[in-house]
Amino acid sequence: GGSSSSAAPAAKKGMSDDDGIKAALENWKAGMESKDIAKLGAGISDKFNHYEWGNKQQMLDFLKSQFEQGTLDGAKIDAANATTKIENGIATVYPVQLVTSNLAATIEFKLQKDADGVWRATTISVEGV
């Protein structure tokens, strides 16, 4: 017998890595398509880092300004053809298509599982912008 530790939140228990990554992408898709910064923020890790957009807060500020300028009007995220590869605890998801009224881009996500068991984006590469 013995008591099990209650470190992990029960809600995330039993969710496979694949499901967790899928959930992260669904969340990102919903956030982009509805211009929901809070939702996008929930899917970005505090470890997030990007050579151009900086940290998590800067990334969210960038997205917010894009929403306000209308650059991402009518955004659609399509991950139907994306494949997920997990190496050393880092999941790479590619290719994810982003299409708006005035641009088409291909995104590569790298995600890591945070301490709370939730997969979140740690960096994002965008091609074709």
Side-chain angles (χ1 to χ4, degrees):
S3 62
S4 62
S5 85
S6 56
K12 306 289 172 214
K13 225 160 134 186
M15 191 183 257
S16 71
D17 287 345
D18 275 351
D19 286 345
I21 292 159
K22 203 169 274 171
L25 282 172
E26 285 294 319
N27 181 65
W28 178 267
K29 176 181 161 78
M32 286 296 281
E33 293 179 358
S34 62
K35 301 186 183 183
D36 188 333
I37 290 290
K39 192 165 262 180
L40 290 168
I44 297 178
S45 173
D46 289 337
K47 298 191 201 88
F48 185 89
N49 191 21
H50 190 279
Y51 67 93
E52 190 182 350
W53 298 314
N55 62 22
K56 172 179 176 173
Q57 191 51 55
Q58 289 167 307
M59 176 73 192
L60 291 173
D61 289 346
F62 169 76
L63 286 170
K64 195 175 176 194
S65 70
Q66 295 302 302
F67 290 152
E68 284 165 1
Q69 289 164 28
T71 316
L72 296 169
D73 281 2
K76 289 272 171 273
I77 302 277
D78 180 7
N81 301 320
T83 53
T84 302
K85 201 170 68 210
I86 303 175
E87 266 171 26
N88 305 325
I90 299 172
T92 305
V93 183
Y94 180 86
V96 177
Q97 305 298 329
L98 164 64
V99 181
T100 73
S101 44
N102 45 24
L103 69 90
T106 305
I107 307 174
E108 179 191 80
F109 287 91
K110 286 199 190 304
L111 305 106
Q112 277 174 285
K113 194 190 277 192
D114 279 337
D116 60 2
V118 178
W119 285 87
R120 292 187 179 90
T122 51
T123 193
I124 296 168
S125 310
V126 181
E127 301 161 10
V129 178

